[in-house]
Coordinates of all heavy atoms in Angstrom, one line a residue:
E271 N 79.2 92.9 124.9 CA 79.5 93.7 123.7 C 80.6 94.6 124.0 O 80.7 95.2 125.1 CB 78.3 94.4 123.1 CG 77.6 95.2 124.0 CD 76.3 95.8 123.4 OE1 76.1 95.6 122.2 OE2 75.6 96.5 124.2
T272 N 81.4 94.9 122.9 CA 82.4 95.8 123.0 C 82.7 96.4 121.7 O 82.3 95.9 120.6 CB 83.8 95.2 123.6 OG1 84.8 96.1 123.8 CG2 84.3 94.2 122.6
G273 N 83.4 97.6 121.6 CA 83.6 98.1 120.4 C 84.3 99.6 120.4 O 84.4 100.1 121.5
F274 N 84.8 99.9 119.4 CA 85.5 101.3 119.0 C 84.5 102.2 118.4 O 84.8 103.1 117.7 CB 86.7 101.1 118.3 CG 87.8 100.4 118.9 CD1 88.9 99.8 118.3 CD2 88.1 100.6 120.4 CE1 90.0 99.2 118.9 CE2 89.1 99.9 121.0 CZ 90.1 99.2 120.2
H275 N 83.2 101.9 118.3 CA 82.3 102.6 117.6 C 81.2 103.5 118.3 O 80.6 104.2 117.6 CB 81.5 101.5 116.8 CG 80.5 100.7 117.5 ND1 81.1 100.0 118.7 CD2 79.3 100.2 117.5 CE1 80.3 99.2 119.2 NE2 79.0 99.4 118.5
A276 N 81.1 103.3 119.6 CA 80.2 104.1 120.4 C 80.6 104.1 121.9 O 81.4 103.2 122.3 CB 78.8 103.5 120.3
N277 N 80.1 105.0 122.6 CA 80.5 105.2 124.1 C 79.3 104.5 124.8 O 78.2 104.9 124.7 CB 80.4 106.7 124.4 CG 81.6 107.4 123.8 OD1 82.6 106.9 123.6 ND2 81.4 108.6 123.3
F278 N 79.6 103.2 125.4 CA 78.7 102.6 126.3 C 79.5 101.9 127.4 O 80.6 101.5 127.2 CB 77.7 101.7 125.5 CG 78.5 100.7 124.7 CD1 78.7 99.4 125.1 CD2 79.0 101.0 123.4 CE1 79.4 98.5 124.4 CE2 79.6 100.1 122.6 CZ 79.9 98.7 123.1
N279 N 78.8 101.8 128.5 CA 79.6 101.2 129.7 C 78.5 100.7 130.7 O 78.0 101.5 131.4 CB 80.5 102.1 130.3 CG 81.5 101.4 131.2 OD1 81.2 101.0 132.3 ND2 82.8 101.3 130.8
Y280 N 78.0 99.4 130.7 CA 77.1 99.1 131.7 C 77.2 97.6 132.0 O 77.8 96.8 131.4 CB 75.6 99.2 131.0 CG 75.5 98.3 129.8 CD1 74.9 97.1 129.9 CD2 75.9 98.8 128.5 CE1 74.9 96.2 128.7 CE2 75.9 98.0 127.4 CZ 75.3 96.7 127.5 OH 75.2 95.9 126.5
L281 N 76.7 97.2 133.2 CA 76.6 95.9 133.7 C 75.2 95.7 134.4 O 75.0 96.4 135.3 CB 77.7 95.6 134.6 CG 77.7 94.3 135.5 CD1 77.6 93.1 134.6 CD2 78.8 94.3 136.5
K282 N 74.5 94.7 133.9 CA 73.1 94.5 134.4 C 73.0 93.0 134.8 O 73.4 92.2 133.9 CB 71.9 94.8 133.4 CG 71.9 96.3 133.1 CD 70.9 96.6 132.0 CE 71.2 98.0 131.5 NZ 70.5 99.1 132.1
V283 N 72.6 92.7 136.0 CA 72.5 91.3 136.3 C 71.0 91.0 136.8 O 70.5 91.7 137.7 CB 73.4 91.0 137.6 CG1 73.4 89.6 137.9 CG2 74.9 91.4 137.3
Y284 N 70.5 90.1 136.1 CA 69.0 89.8 136.3 C 69.0 88.4 137.1 O 69.6 87.4 136.6 CB 68.3 89.6 135.0 CG 68.3 90.9 134.2 CD1 69.3 91.2 133.2 CD2 67.3 91.9 134.5 CE1 69.3 92.3 132.6 CE2 67.4 93.2 133.8 CZ 68.3 93.3 132.8 OH 68.4 94.6 132.2
C285 N 68.3 88.3 138.2 CA 68.3 87.2 139.1 C 66.8 86.7 139.1 O 66.0 87.2 138.7 CB 68.8 87.5 140.5 SG 70.4 88.3 140.4
E286 N 66.7 85.5 139.9 CA 65.5 84.8 140.1 C 64.5 85.8 140.7 O 63.3 85.9 140.3 CB 65.7 83.7 140.9 CG 64.7 82.6 141.2 CD 65.3 81.6 142.3 OE1 66.4 81.8 142.8 OE2 64.5 80.7 142.5
N287 N 65.0 86.7 141.7 CA 64.1 87.6 142.5 C 64.4 89.0 142.4 O 64.2 89.7 143.4 CB 64.1 87.1 144.0 CG 63.7 85.6 144.1 OD1 62.7 85.2 143.5 ND2 64.5 84.9 144.9
G288 N 65.0 89.5 141.4 CA 65.3 90.8 141.3 C 66.5 91.1 140.4 O 66.8 90.3 139.6

Side-chain angles (χ1 to χ4, degrees):
E271 55 185 353
T272 187
F274 288 153
H275 63 312
N277 296 318
F278 55 98
N279 196 290
Y280 64 89
L281 165 62
K282 296 174 196 275
V283 184
Y284 301 94
C285 308
E286 195 183 1
N287 304 315

